[in-house]
Amino acid sequence: MLDINLLRKDLPTVVSALATRGLDFDTQRFEALEQQRKSLQVETETLQARRNAVSKQIGQLKAKGEDASELMAESQQIPGRLQEVAQQLAEIQHELQSWLAEIPNLPHSSVPVGESEEHNVEVSRWVPDATDPQADPAPLAFEPLDHVALGERIGLDFESARKLSGSRFMMLRGDLARLHRALAQFMLDEQTQRNGYTECYTPYIVNSSTLFGTGQLPKFKADMFWVTKGGDDHSEDEQHEDLYLISTSEITLTGSVRDEILNPAELPIKLTAHTPCFRSEAGSGGRDTRGIIRQHQFDKVEMVQIVHPDHSYEALESMREHAEGILRKLKLPYRVVSLCTGDMGFSAAKTYDLEVWLPAQNTWREISSVSNCEAFQARRLQARYRPEKGRPEYVHTLNGSGLAVGRALVAVLENYQQEDGSVAVPEALQPYLGGQTVLK
């Protein structure tokens, strides 16, 4: 959530920054709500001061034996008006907070300005064995098959998944299931053993407060899967809060510091988890319906860092390197793009996308997104740290895929395919498959 004080102090700057994200901020509405809030707060303070003054005058009159009935009648009316004003103020505050909860983060000054993915800026690319840093991946020596044609030969089973759950689900069998598991294990080992993240096992079901904190609610409610519980054995607390399947473990890892005041010595906190992710893809517009690029259920190894505000952009660069390291060890061609203002996620102040090369599509496809959310999520989560002097301040939160397992599987299938339809196993994954070098 945006800092309300920044809106009050420098509204034109906020409006200008939001305009680069395609949002026309309603300044008249904000100023009207602010005027009502100020007026009610002034009236509250005036009534409180009058209540104290009247009480004192009544005491003085009674001490002198004089008539205080008129003041006593006035004093009896003040609490009722105070209650009315408090109710009106609460309604104004609620309207303001509900509105601001749907306003995206402000972009960092280094983010390229643009309306869509066409305006994203390529930062770098990496192609195995290439001497030119801008080289395109060399084409395969034969006509490449896409991951669906390859996968269906070695264990990709859409028919069983469709029978079990419907469209946009997959079932993997045999060596392909083992390769999928190997990818996840390899990614976890890299993030924990080499990059210093603490591995976590988190719930797959979360409450609405947690989703609000990380920015999924209320804006992206249509993209979430809701959970309905049967039976009557519900605690009193559970009855008043909706539950959802997680769309990423960013939600649980970042949400773990909700309502916490951290010791600066604890920072940075670096967490990772391998979880399934569930997305209804209500806003996908029917894209990528073929194959496993866009599924309702997919796996991801997530990276999250909770850091001191002074170090969040250093952390962003390091997380980008941690994601890139996975692709380099798998020897998969990729490029890094800086997302423009119009293409960034709701909570992000700056985002890098890593895009892997897919030979059958002859294009780059996103496989990781690494974002600095600055204090946007922390403000919603009330996640703070206590400096040596002064009041608690908000931490900065960052998240990134390290990597999306299903998309990595797609990239391995397409880049490591051989002319006979078999798939070579990347050297980095062979230890996880008992030394197996090829999938037939």
Side-chain angles (χ1 to χ4, degrees):
M1 186 175 291
L2 298 183
D3 183 356
I4 187 68
N5 293 318
L6 180 60
L7 283 160
R8 290 166 180 164
K9 292 176 182 177
D10 195 0
L11 184 58
T13 297
V14 174
V15 171
S16 177
L18 290 174
T20 68
R21 301 203 63 169
L23 190 145
D24 183 13
F25 188 81
D26 190 343
T27 56
Q28 291 185 341
R29 180 185 178 188
F30 178 75
E31 288 169 346
L33 288 170
E34 275 292 283
Q35 184 57 46
Q36 293 176 61
R37 179 190 64 81
K38 289 177 184 178
S39 176
L40 290 168
Q41 286 184 335
V42 167
E43 185 175 357
T44 297
E45 293 167 1
T46 301
L47 286 168
Q48 289 171 338
R50 181 57 182 163
R51 179 185 59 192
N52 294 338
V54 167
S55 178
K56 184 177 180 180
Q57 291 173 18
I58 290 172
Q60 291 172 344
L61 289 173
K62 285 185 175 181
K64 296 176 182 179
E66 298 178 6
D67 181 21
S69 58
E70 186 175 335
L71 288 174
M72 290 178 69
E74 181 184 352
S75 71
Q76 290 172 358
Q77 295 176 357
I78 291 175
R81 180 55 188 160
L82 272 172
Q83 188 173 0
E84 291 175 7
V85 172
Q87 178 63 31
Q88 292 172 15
L89 183 58
E91 290 172 359
I92 293 295
Q93 296 279 31
H94 177 74
E95 181 179 351
L96 189 59
Q97 292 299 312
S98 297
W99 177 34
L100 294 181
E102 299 194 25
I103 304 298
N105 202 355
L106 302 182
H108 187 261
S109 59
S110 64
V111 173
V113 176
E115 297 178 1
S116 68
E117 61 183 19
E118 296 177 359
H119 302 108
N120 294 340
V121 176
E122 182 173 328
V123 176
S124 63
R125 67 173 60 182
W126 184 85
V127 177
D129 304 321
T131 56
D132 181 359
Q134 292 301 312
D136 289 322
L140 298 179
F142 52 89
E143 187 68 26
L145 298 175
D146 71 6
H147 70 278
V148 177
L150 289 161
E152 287 181 333
R153 299 178 178 189
I154 53 177
L156 178 56
D157 181 359
F158 284 122
E159 285 306 313
S160 292
R162 190 174 294 111
K163 177 173 61 177
L164 294 168
S165 306
S167 61
R168 294 205 182 186
F169 290 91
M170 68 175 178
M171 187 167 184
L172 303 179
R173 299 178 185 272
D175 282 347
L176 198 57
R178 293 178 66 222
L179 179 60
H180 185 271
R181 174 165 53 88
L183 280 163
Q185 186 63 57
F186 166 66
M187 294 171 190
L188 273 180
D189 286 348
E190 287 294 305
Q191 303 306 352
T192 56
Q193 297 173 18
R194 297 185 183 276
N195 298 330
Y197 291 81
T198 298
E199 183 176 351
C200 301
Y201 174 82
T202 81
Y204 301 160
I205 297 174
V206 292
N207 55 39
S208 54
S209 297
T210 302
L211 289 168
F212 175 85
T214 50
Q216 279 74 24
L217 291 182
K219 187 172 180 61
F220 301 106
K221 186 173 184 178
D223 286 321
M224 306 296 297
F225 279 106
W226 307 354
V227 177
T228 302
K229 298 181 294 182
D232 299 321
D233 186 20
H234 307 321
S235 73
E236 207 170 292
D237 291 339
E238 291 177 328
Q239 289 179 358
H240 301 291
E241 193 156 19
D242 293 334
L243 296 174
Y244 301 78
L245 292 171
I246 61 170
S247 55
T248 165
S249 58
E250 167 205 340
I251 295 165
T252 46
L253 296 176
T254 307
S256 66
V257 295
R258 182 176 127 206
D259 297 327
E260 298 281 343
I261 299 180
L262 304 167
N263 186 324
E266 297 178 69
L267 305 177
I269 297 172
K270 300 167 66 175
L271 307 174
T272 188
H274 166 222
T275 67
C277 306
F278 305 90
R279 296 182 187 176
S280 71
E281 300 287 2
S284 66
R287 293 174 295 168
D288 301 317
T289 55
R290 175 174 168 80
I292 64 174
I293 293 290
R294 194 180 295 274
Q295 295 272 286
H296 290 319
Q297 175 185 318
F298 59 95
D299 281 42
K300 186 149 63 85
V301 172
E302 186 74 5
M303 306 175 292
V304 159
Q305 290 200 30
I306 315 296
V307 305
H308 190 285
D310 293 345
H311 305 305
S312 65
Y313 280 92
E314 296 171 30
L316 178 65
E317 297 302 321
S318 71
M319 290 178 70
R320 170 187 148 186
E321 291 173 7
H322 298 158
E324 287 189 58
I326 301 292
L327 291 168
R328 287 177 182 254
K329 289 195 173 183
L330 292 173
K331 296 184 178 179
L332 293 171
Y334 71 91
R335 68 174 187 169
V336 180
V337 296
S338 180
L339 297 195
C340 71
T341 51
D343 198 34
M344 285 198 307
F346 178 78
S347 298
K350 183 172 183 175
T351 297
Y352 291 117
D353 268 8
L354 275 61
E355 298 178 345
V356 70
W357 179 255
L358 298 183
Q361 295 186 24
N362 195 39
T363 192
W364 306 95
R365 296 304 302 262
E366 178 198 338
I367 194 169
S368 174
S369 191
V370 184
S371 300
N372 185 357
C373 300
E374 297 185 357
F376 187 84
Q377 289 179 322
R379 193 170 288 109
R380 298 166 76 104
L381 289 163
Q382 288 300 297
R384 295 169 289 173
Y385 73 99
R386 189 181 299 281
E388 290 185 9
K389 296 180 181 179
R391 297 179 176 179
E393 299 178 14
Y394 292 109
V395 295
H396 280 192
T397 64
L398 302 95
N399 63 80
S401 310
L403 305 164
V405 182
R407 294 195 177 192
L409 182 68
V410 169
V412 168
L413 289 175
E414 294 202 8
N415 283 278
Y416 279 85
Q417 64 179 293
Q418 301 179 110
E419 192 167 5
D420 64 358
S422 62
V423 177
V425 177
E427 186 177 351
L429 298 179
Q430 290 174 15
Y432 295 90
L433 290 167
Q436 189 171 348
T437 60
V438 66
L439 307 182
K440 297 184 178 180

